[in-house]
């Protein structure tokens, strides 16, 4: 199934149902399809061919949705970029992917430097009369017929290229085929218990796999995708109430802001049946708050990556907070010893249940990409003998559930002992005066590394002594795992998608 047919089948099933909404527009599936066809015809007339790239520097809006489906109909490649990246990273992405078109808006126009291109793309602005643009999106719609030459699309053709945030270097392009995207969407529906005609809040940026997955899933179900250009907890609550939203797919930080807002007590959550989160762990306290306030049928933890959408999922974390669950419907995972070298004559040892190992995922999954765009060097490091090496550390418990304890790069070795940050974080966040906590290793002449806790308190009376006492007598922490240093912060630095920027902590960009 390619995404052109995927979309057109949905249109034929429910032409008059509402498909997409933003603050300015409310379109049925038929109206959306007409816009998609007009834009596709204009893009083809301007030279967009099969597997050409269209780079998109847009917030969530109806135009972004129209562009996505128009690009799919032409067999081209939708390449959404996080315009919160630096101008240097944006320029790297443009030079790397060589787009035929770049679509931008007011919020991203400062990133456009047309004079730097040897073979520059065609620039499309959302608004008319932008001096940086060659043509406007409005002109694409207005000066177009709805007919265009149909393109034969194969399941293995690339549908989208997502660029990672680049927090540890230049961004990496992750190409995903039509088959990858379709399989991932179907898996999400099954694993998360979505229902036909569901309405969701499209608040997660469409430059991220979570954002586009939400759009694809709701389209498959002929539901309503309500786009929100920027996350705002009050506006989100108002939309949930007004639009009778049925399911949410967000980060734990977004859920925290929603349940903590005073207006949340005034909202009717009775239509909301499913909460899904990804990108970070959710504390037991936050899970309880979401459960008490919203009373959903399920709270699902979806653990995966851009490269392979699903690794594992927990169908309801209320039963077992903190777990990443079991492999998804298309998945096969193993946990292997971290003491390996990827050589033809060596195969890493699978660790027994209960022992910590690196999570690796079978590349035979239909959700799995084939390798990074223009980066065979990184592909070789991450894919070996048909397995994708995630860099995540975890263990399988007695019930067969995966529990993540951190990243290999974040593992601390103190006095010869291996220490996993997430285990300590889960303990410290139980303290009533701790709001958020991040554990990192700091170089030490005697111990090699010491454990340092960066704490965002919710009570300014907190003291290092009481934190140390709390850890010392906690039955889940050994003495060598206790933090030897505490730093109080007003916030934890995070990327726009909610990932903790540990490197910024280590560089002391945030001052204690």
């Amino acid at each position: 199934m390619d995404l052109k047919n995927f979309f057109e089948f949905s249109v034929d099933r429910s032409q008059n149902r509402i498909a997409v909404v933003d603050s300015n527009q409310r379109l049925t599936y038929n109206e959306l399809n007409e816009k998609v066809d007009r834009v596709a015809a204009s893009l083809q007339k301007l030279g967009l061919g099969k597997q050409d790239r269209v780079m998109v520097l847009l917030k969530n809006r109806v135009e972004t949705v129209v562009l996505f489906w128009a690009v799919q109909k032409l067999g081209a490649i939708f390449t959404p970029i996080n315009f919160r990246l630096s101008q240097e990273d944006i320029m790297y992405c443009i030079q790397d992917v060589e787009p035929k078109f770049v679509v931008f808006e007011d919020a991203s126009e400062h990133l456009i430097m047309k004079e730097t291109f040897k073979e520059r793309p065609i620039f499309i602005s959302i608004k008319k009369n932008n001096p940086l643009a060659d043509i406007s999106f409005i002109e694409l719609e207005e000066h177009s017929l709805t007919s265009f030459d149909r393109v034969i699309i194969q399941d293995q053709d690339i549908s989208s290229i997502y660029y990672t945030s680049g927090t540890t270097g230049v961004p990496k392009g992750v190409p995903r085929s039509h088959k990858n995207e379709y399989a991932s969407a179907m898996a999400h529906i099954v694993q998360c218990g979505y229902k036909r005609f569901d309405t969701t809040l499209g608040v997660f940026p469409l430059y991220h796999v979570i954002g586009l997955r939400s759009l694809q899933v709701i389209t498959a179900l002929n539901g309503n995708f309500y786009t929100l250009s920027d996350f705002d907890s009050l506006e989100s609550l108002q939309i949930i109430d007004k639009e009778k939203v049925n399911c949410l797919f967000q980060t734990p930080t977004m859920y925290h802001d929603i349940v903590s807002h005073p207006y949340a007590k005034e909202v009717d959550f009775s239509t909301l049946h499913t909460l899904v989160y990804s990108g970070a762990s959710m504390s037991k306290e936050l899970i309880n708050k979401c459960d008490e306030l919203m009373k959903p049928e399920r709270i699902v933890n979806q653990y995966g990556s851009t490269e392979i959408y699903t690794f594992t999922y927990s169908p309801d974390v209320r039963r077992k907070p903190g777990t990443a669950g079991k492999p998804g419907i298309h998945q096969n995972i193993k946990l292997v010893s971290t003491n390996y070298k990827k050589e033809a004559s060596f195969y890493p040892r699978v660790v027994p249940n209960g022992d910590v190992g690196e999570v690796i995922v079978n590349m035979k999954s239909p959700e799995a990409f084939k390798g990074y765009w223009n980066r065979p060097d990184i592909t070789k490091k991450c894919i070996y003998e048909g397995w994708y090496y995630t860099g995540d550390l975890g263990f399988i418990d007695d019930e067969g559930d995966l529990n993540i304890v951190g990243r290999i790069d974040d593992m601390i070795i103190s006095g010869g002992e291996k220490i996993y940050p997430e285990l300590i974080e889960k303990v410290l966040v139980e303290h009533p005066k701790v709001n958020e906590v991040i554990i990192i290793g700091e170089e030490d002449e005697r111990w090699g590394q010491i454990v340092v806790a960066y704490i965002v308190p919710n009570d300014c009376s907190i003291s290092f002594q009481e934190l140390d006492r709390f850890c010392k007598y906690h039955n889940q922490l050994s003495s060598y795992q206790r933090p030897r240093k505490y730093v109080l912060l007003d916030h934890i630095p995070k990327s726009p998608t909610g990932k903790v920027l540990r490197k910024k902590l280590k560089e002391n960009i945030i001052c204690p």
Side-chain angles (χ1 to χ4, degrees), residues 40-67:
S42 290
L43 290 174
Q44 190 178 71
K45 187 176 181 181
L46 289 170
L48 184 66
K50 184 177 179 180
Q51 296 295 275
D52 285 340
R53 277 75 66 196
V54 178
M55 180 172 284
V56 176
L57 295 164
L58 299 177
K59 295 185 177 183
N60 289 9
R61 54 196 304 158
V62 165
E63 290 87 349
T64 315
V65 175
V66 170
L67 273 167

Side-chain angles (χ1 to χ4, degrees), residues 80-146:
I81 301 293
N82 175 5
F83 57 81
R84 294 181 177 87
L85 294 175
S86 68
Q87 188 176 61
E88 182 180 357
D89 281 343
I90 295 289
M91 294 307 298
Y92 170 82
C93 293
I94 293 176
Q95 299 293 353
D96 186 51
V97 82
E98 298 179 303
K100 183 68 70 75
F101 296 88
V102 174
V103 189
F104 67 96
E105 60 177 292
D106 290 349
S108 57
E109 68 175 20
H110 66 285
L111 300 167
I112 304 300
M113 297 172 59
K114 290 170 60 174
E115 67 276 5
T116 64
F117 300 99
K118 293 179 181 178
E119 296 183 12
R120 72 175 186 85
I122 296 173
F123 288 88
I124 302 173
S125 171
I126 289 297
K127 291 184 179 180
K128 279 186 175 181
N129 303 319
N130 189 312
L132 293 174
D134 300 299
I135 191 172
S136 72
F137 188 88
I138 296 172
E139 290 173 300
L140 293 183
E141 284 191 323
E142 290 179 347
H143 303 157
S144 171
L145 300 174
T146 57

Side-chain angles (χ1 to χ4, degrees), residues 7-26:
F7 175 67
E8 290 181 345
F9 290 177
S10 290
V11 172
D12 286 343
R13 284 196 303 268
S14 298
Q15 294 187 20
N16 296 319
R17 291 192 66 85
I18 297 297
V20 60
V21 179
D22 66 13
S23 58
N24 299 311
Q25 302 179 73
R26 181 179 291 264

Side-chain angles (χ1 to χ4, degrees), residues 27 41 58 115 130 151 164 174 199-200 229 232 250 279 281 295 373 381 392 395 397-399 410 430 485 495 497:
L27 302 178
L58 299 177
E115 67 276 5
N130 189 312
V151 178
T164 61
V174 180
T199 292
T200 198
S229 60
D232 178 85
Q250 300 184 158
S281 60
K295 296 180 174 58
W373 181 263
K381 290 179 181 178
D392 292 334
F395 65 90
D397 63 25
D398 293 339
E399 295 181 327
D410 298 330
E430 294 176 7
K485 179 179 175 182
S495 73
T497 56

Side-chain angles (χ1 to χ4, degrees), residues 153-173:
I153 302 170
Q154 305 295 331
D155 287 354
Q156 296 299 335
D157 289 338
I158 298 172
S159 158
S160 306
I161 297 177
Y162 301 84
Y163 272 85
T164 61
S165 59
T167 56
T168 57
V170 296
K172 302 188 297 290

